[in-house]
Amino acid sequence: MNKETIRQRIAALREVMNREHLAAFIFPSTDPHNGEYVPDHWKGREWISGFNGSAGTAVVTMTSAALWTDSRYFIAAAEQLEDTGFELMKERMAGTPAISDWIGDQLRDSRTTEVGIDGMTNSAASVEQLIADLRQRGGLTVRTNFDPLAELWTDRPAIPLNKVEIHPMERAGESAHDKLQRIRQALRQQHADGTLVSALDDIAWTLNLRGSDVHCNPVFVSYLLISSQRATLYINKEKLSAEVVAYLKKEGVDVDDYNNVKKGLKDYFEYNILLDPNAINYTLYHAVERNIVAAASPIPSMKCVKNAKEAAGFRNAMLRDGIAMTKFLAWLRPAVEAGGQTEMTVDEKLTALRAEQPLYRGLSFDTIAAYQEHGAIVHYEATPETDVPLRPEGLLLLDSGAQYEDGTTDITRTIALGPITEEQKRVYTLVLKGHIQLQLLKFPYGASGTQLDALARKDMWREGMNYMHGTGHGVGSYLNVHEGPHQIRQEYKPEPMREGMTVTDEPGIYFAGRFGVRIENTLLTVPYMETEFGKFLQFETLTLCPIDKTPIVREMLTAEEIEWLNGYHRTVKERISPYLTEEEKAWLEDACKEI
């Protein structure tokens, strides 16, 4: 993004703010559906700042501008914001002010005390908190009914009109009708008559429909209003074929225009409605004229537990993904030694190999192919400006995944392309130990991911090392690659781990400007045993792909860790070999040799 363009956009915004008597305006990273990944139409924070990471909040006043983001993006954001007029604010770092504190300080001498934020693209809870925080900082007020981008963003992309398709029962494992009945039963347990569903993956899962409105996520822009008897899908009707309309009618779902959702909430006839203030945007939350049960939606906790059909789909998708990954790894080192390979070309090669697999529908996120110092940038994405040649030395961190009609994959491998340093070997082995320890774990039913997180970190903690991202996240069933509500991370996440949950295992260590290491498999939570102390769970490893053995310091691994690694590689070899050429089989045989 041209830095001068960003400065011009800030200047134009300030003219509009001056006319509207706004002292500041806040741009989030989300959309009316509180999505992590959003359609281009709602990428206003990126448009005004030039920063293209998935997380961040931009704030512009009449005299200053700042952008808050987390540790995954510190390096990338610093580069992208340089000379734009935006100051980088590093979240959760000592000395970084909260957004409301910074605004209060910036507006201390301002004649205007009104702060703008679009009520359609910010959750009810976040806006209410902002209102309370700013009130305490000099009586600042908040305006939620104005979007300056509607005027300034003249070439703004339209809301997508891509067609919606039916996700068949042999993949979903449960009908939309039955899911709606389960949801209504859960709502009754919370003394609620209905709910508005705004999360796009929740809607897709509930209705057994899929779309292509969001990059890498098979979802479609819509709302779903569920009452005790009926359900209404608010969507642009151009997106629905006659077949989909007939299917929805059979499942007990009416259809109305996407822009009528606010009217639908005003006309809602039940006594009360469950709305999650952390998920529903401020404008729609306050459009309701009935009693609100403010609580979390029951759908995410249902969606994250995979049924037998979904689990089988994951296993099949992981097999095909493992074939593509193995073919890629067999190709990689010789190709690098021959010369001419870069971060972007290996990304293209891997994508092409995945595209050859049956049921492939696209990537599940943009591939991270990060060589040496780029590996320290947690969410690095190579561009023509940053792309570097790969040499037959050092480490390549490769984090990638795909969408298949029967499952979603997410895998990271860190590969030694040739000689590496003793430090890199030691760090690699510490990460591998953490990766294995989590997969060896047996734990009581209902333990939260936070209670499991330390197992992946304990050995690196002894060495004074750590990482700032989570250890694991849920994965959708041909849905979003990031799925909650469960997570494995240091910050407390109370959602209990239950049988049928998918979760990643991806510890890492990163040294800014030098290198990074991350190793990731996707796991399925399965039964272990039941005793007088209750049910215990363990993890089934779904991902099938060799883990590079060349950087391992064998003496650092315990006998149990070595046994796990050798057993994992035996499984990989047995499952993947039948689908390879003779040359690839020979490579896999060597890659899976016991240590």
Side-chain angles (χ1 to χ4, degrees), residues 167 171 210 218 313-314 316-325 350-351 353-364 401-410 476-479:
H167 190 54
R171 310 230 191 277
R210 297 294 187 268
F314 263 102
N316 292 332
M318 293 289 175
L319 173 61
R320 294 192 301 277
D321 204 62
I323 294 165
M325 279 293 302
L350 177 54
T351 300
L353 287 169
R354 280 193 164 111
E356 293 174 359
Q357 294 299 315
L359 305 184
Y360 174 81
R361 298 302 298 268
L363 299 180
S364 55
Q403 295 286 4
Y404 301 92
E405 287 181 24
D406 52 357
T408 300
T409 68
D410 187 0
S477 180
Y478 183 34
L479 265 178

Side-chain angles (χ1 to χ4, degrees), residues 32 34 123-125 128 187 190-199 202 223-227 261-262 264-266 268 271-300:
N34 205 38
S123 72
E128 295 286 4
L187 290 170
Q190 293 179 273
H191 306 289
D193 298 321
T195 188
L196 177 69
V197 189
S198 69
D202 286 356
Y223 293 98
L224 179 63
L225 182 59
I226 301 173
S227 67
V261 63
K262 195 171 179 180
L265 286 170
K266 287 186 177 295
Y268 177 79
Y271 173 73
N272 65 20
I273 185 170
L274 183 146
L275 298 177
D276 183 351
N278 293 300
I280 304 297
N281 69 59
Y282 180 86
T283 299
L284 293 185
Y285 194 90
H286 288 276
V288 174
E289 297 179 354
R290 299 289 177 174
N291 294 312
I292 292 177
V293 178
S297 167
I299 297 175

Side-chain angles (χ1 to χ4, degrees), residues 30-325:
T30 187
D31 60 12
H33 305 273
N34 205 38
E36 177 185 4
Y37 300 102
V38 305
D40 290 344
H41 178 82
W42 285 294
K43 291 184 177 177
R45 185 265 297 150
E46 180 177 338
W47 184 86
I48 193 64
S49 70
F51 169 62
N52 63 3
S54 66
T57 302
V59 185
V60 179
T61 73
M62 296 302 293
T63 58
S64 56
L67 182 136
W68 283 255
T69 192
D70 62 47
S71 61
R72 296 172 297 169
Y73 297 111
F74 288 168
I75 298 172
E79 294 174 356
Q80 293 177 10
L81 297 178
E82 188 177 6
D83 296 328
T84 63
F86 274 94
E87 178 185 1
L88 173 60
M89 296 291 182
K90 297 181 177 181
E91 289 179 348
R92 286 183 278 180
M93 298 297 286
T96 299
I99 290 174
S100 53
D101 289 335
W102 184 84
I103 291 174
D105 185 60
Q106 296 294 314
L107 303 189
R108 187 171 290 126
D109 299 320
S110 173
R111 290 174 297 173
T112 307
T113 59
E114 194 166 52
V115 176
I117 189 168
D118 183 1
M120 281 296 289
T121 58
N122 293 269
S123 72
S126 65
V127 175
E128 295 286 4
Q129 186 64 55
L130 179 71
I131 290 169
D133 290 345
L134 291 181
R135 186 181 296 125
Q136 295 177 5
R137 289 161 178 80
L140 300 176
T141 58
V142 177
R143 178 179 174 185
T144 62
N145 64 351
F146 177 66
D147 175 16
L149 297 176
E151 175 182 339
L152 294 171
W153 196 354
T154 54
D155 59 347
R156 187 175 193 172
I159 297 173
L161 293 175
N162 302 323
K163 293 292 185 181
V164 171
E165 59 187 39
I166 298 169
H167 190 54
M169 270 291 288
E170 60 263 29
R171 310 230 191 277
E174 182 182 14
S175 71
H177 176 272
D178 289 349
K179 288 178 179 178
L180 285 165
Q181 290 303 99
R182 274 210 293 147
I183 292 165
R184 291 185 177 108
Q185 183 179 359
L187 290 170
R188 283 194 294 272
Q189 291 173 353
Q190 293 179 273
H191 306 289
D193 298 321
T195 188
L196 177 69
V197 189
S198 69
L200 301 185
D201 59 330
D202 286 356
I203 297 169
W205 176 84
T206 299
L207 299 180
N208 290 339
L209 296 174
R210 297 294 187 268
S212 56
D213 286 354
V214 179
H215 180 57
C216 294
N217 296 281
V219 297
F220 48 94
V221 175
S222 58
Y223 293 98
L224 179 63
L225 182 59
I226 301 173
S227 67
S228 61
Q229 300 297 323
R230 296 293 298 176
T232 302
L233 178 66
Y234 291 90
I235 188 171
N236 188 315
K237 294 178 183 178
E238 288 183 43
K239 301 162 69 67
L240 305 180
S241 66
E243 179 191 16
V244 173
V245 171
Y247 160 80
L248 287 169
K249 184 176 181 181
K250 179 175 71 72
E251 299 295 323
V253 180
D254 301 320
V255 177
D256 200 347
D257 189 78
Y258 177 72
N259 293 318
N260 287 342
V261 63
K262 195 171 179 180
K263 180 179 184 299
L265 286 170
K266 287 186 177 295
D267 295 342
Y268 177 79
F269 57 88
E270 304 271 16
Y271 173 73
N272 65 20
I273 185 170
L274 183 146
L275 298 177
D276 183 351
N278 293 300
I280 304 297
N281 69 59
Y282 180 86
T283 299
L284 293 185
Y285 194 90
H286 288 276
V288 174
E289 297 179 354
R290 299 289 177 174
N291 294 312
I292 292 177
V293 178
S297 167
I299 297 175
S301 289
M302 295 179 179
K303 180 175 88 265
C304 70
V305 174
K306 308 302 185 283
N307 60 42
K309 291 282 190 184
E310 291 172 320
F314 263 102
R315 294 186 185 102
N316 292 332
M318 293 289 175
L319 173 61
R320 294 192 301 277
D321 204 62
I323 294 165
M325 279 293 302

Side-chain angles (χ1 to χ4, degrees), residues 345-382:
T345 64
V346 296
D347 175 1
E348 291 163 4
K349 176 68 174 181
L350 177 54
T351 300
L353 287 169
R354 280 193 164 111
E356 293 174 359
Q357 294 299 315
L359 305 184
Y360 174 81
R361 298 302 298 268
L363 299 180
S364 55
F365 57 96
D366 290 319
T367 298
I368 299 168
Y371 182 54
Q372 288 288 72
E373 64 269 20
H374 287 164
I377 305 171
V378 178
H379 275 207
Y380 172 78
E381 184 185 339

